[in-house]
Amino acid sequence: MENILKKIGKISSFASRYIGIIIIAFSCLAFFWRDRFAWMTNYTSVFLGVIMFGMGLTIRLEDFRAIFSRPKEVIIGAVAQYTIMPVVAWVLCKVMNLPADLALGVILVGCCPGGTASNVITYIAGGDVALSVGMTIVSTLAAPVMTPFLVYILAGAWVEVSFWAMVLSVVKVILVPVLLGILLRTLAGDHVDKVSDVMPLISVVAIVMIIGGIVAINAEKILSCGVLVLGVVAIHNFCGMMLGLLAAKIFHVEYTRTTAIAIEVGMQNSGLAVSLAAANFAANPLATLPGAIFSVWHNIAGSIFAGIRRSGAENRTRTGENGVSAA
């Protein structure tokens, strides 16, 4: 059994590192074999709940202590998360004069908390993983209030938004699964540790199924507006990471923590955006598309950014810099 878990752990590590490529591959399959993937959209909220439950299982009580030990960086990250990405989303929708469905989808992505993929990308980048986890926890726990509120304020110009319906959706697919995961880890931590390496693989499978389903049912629409959405998503993601980097630099955050903040701000829980669009805006079917494309793009762009930041960290080490100043 132990050998099996080790092998699964290796597969899980590989899948987490190359999630962007895996998502692209299965998105292509979903595009051409739509009937095999379309059914997955019926279980979007379930898949997202599984992902968030897995996130809860990774959270230890000492993670909360880490949050309070570095409040400055956590506050910078949380404030940047819920200001930069929502505002950039709104500006892009206005400047590019997006149709209502697409505008709603872009704003949903911008108003979501940080995604768990940011923790993996931060690790690859050589950033402060503990800080990344702390920021993800804080933004996720704030999501039941912040995400519906921001969507209500920013998307109201395009569609009618039910604030309380969105609050209930976020509580069901984010807060409850995360808290259940934390509770299970608290009560049975030793047993959870034995299968902890398997959870990232389950999360990868779940996000692939979410995106595969969305691609399958929107294949024709992707042909007509996919390039436009990809362009908006790429700009959104790039602005998030660069402005997150700038915010950290303004407050003189050290290099590895600057990396964590930039990645956290730029990488959203786009699965939540897809789930909220499907659950609350059935009359706007294209609203799921930006979240699905963002899920693919932010892993690719995040990996590239991680490589750049890791090289920068290695150069600083070779030149004898201590990394105290921000970069």
Side-chain angles (χ1 to χ4, degrees):
M1 186 65 178
E2 187 176 338
N3 289 333
I4 294 175
L5 288 176
K6 284 183 178 179
K7 289 180 180 178
I8 295 175
K10 290 180 180 179
I11 297 172
S12 183
S13 178
F14 176 86
S16 298
R17 184 178 288 268
Y18 297 103
I19 185 173
I21 296 173
I22 293 170
I23 289 173
I24 291 173
F26 277 90
S27 295
C28 292
L29 290 174
F31 186 86
F32 291 105
W33 286 280
R34 299 165 197 176
D35 293 341
R36 302 289 180 90
F37 289 83
W39 63 270
M40 297 175 184
T41 57
N42 296 324
Y43 302 96
T44 297
S45 295
V46 175
F47 294 144
L48 183 61
V50 169
I51 294 170
M52 300 319 299
F53 178 73
M55 175 186 170
L57 287 177
T58 67
I59 298 174
R60 299 175 172 85
L61 292 179
E62 50 263 36
D63 291 330
F64 289 99
R65 286 194 282 271
I67 291 171
F68 292 113
S69 69
R70 56 192 71 182
K72 172 186 170 183
E73 289 86 354
V74 172
I75 291 170
I76 291 170
V79 172
Q81 183 80 61
Y82 284 119
T83 54
I84 291 173
M85 292 300 276
V87 170
V88 170
W90 183 85
V91 169
L92 285 172
C93 293
K94 285 290 187 181
V95 170
M96 303 189 76
N97 196 26
L98 294 181
D101 284 23
L102 295 182
L104 173 60
V106 172
I107 287 174
L108 277 167
V109 170
C111 297
C112 282
T116 53
S118 64
N119 309 147
V120 178
I121 297 298
T122 298
Y123 172 76
I124 295 171
D128 189 325
V129 178
L131 174 60
S132 177
V133 171
M135 289 186 293
T136 301
I137 292 171
V138 170
S139 66
T140 299
L141 294 179
V145 174
M146 293 303 301
T147 297
F149 173 73
L150 288 168
V151 173
Y152 180 79
I153 295 296
L154 298 176
W158 285 275
V159 296
E160 183 177 349
V161 179
S162 174
F163 174 79
W164 290 111
M166 285 195 66
V167 169
L168 184 60
S169 293
V170 179
V171 167
K172 287 194 296 185
V173 300
I174 291 285
L175 192 60
V176 171
V178 168
L179 293 179
L180 286 175
I182 294 173
L183 178 62
L184 181 58
R185 177 164 198 95
T186 302
L187 296 176
D190 291 340
H191 296 289
V192 171
D193 284 337
K194 293 178 182 178
V195 296
S196 60
D197 290 341
V198 179
M199 292 310 300
L201 179 60
I202 294 174
S203 295
V204 169
V205 171
I207 194 65
V208 165
M209 295 182 82
I210 290 173
I211 296 168
I214 296 301
V215 169
I217 66 170
N218 288 292
E220 298 298 332
K221 295 167 185 173
I222 289 173
L223 288 175
S224 62
C225 62
V227 174
L228 171 63
V229 177
L230 178 59
V232 173
V233 161
I235 295 170
H236 193 191
N237 174 243
F238 177 79
C239 289
M241 287 194 291
M242 292 302 103
L243 292 175
L245 199 69
L246 178 62
K249 186 172 183 179
I250 289 172
F251 288 97
H252 306 290
V253 178
E254 62 98 357
Y255 191 91
T256 59
R257 295 180 181 181
T258 297
T259 298
I261 290 172
I263 292 171
E264 187 69 23
V265 173
M267 298 188 69
Q268 301 293 85
N269 187 340
S270 44
L272 175 60
V274 171
S275 180
L276 291 177
N280 296 277
F281 302 100
N284 307 90
L286 271 182
T288 58
L289 192 55
I293 292 179
F294 197 98
S295 294
V296 179
W297 178 259
H298 78 168
N299 283 289
I300 297 170
S303 297
I304 295 170
F305 181 74
I308 295 170
R309 295 297 290 180
R310 191 175 192 89
S311 296
E314 290 170 353
N315 288 336
R316 292 164 70 87
T317 301
R318 280 196 297 268
T319 56
E321 294 184 43
N322 59 17
V324 172
S325 60

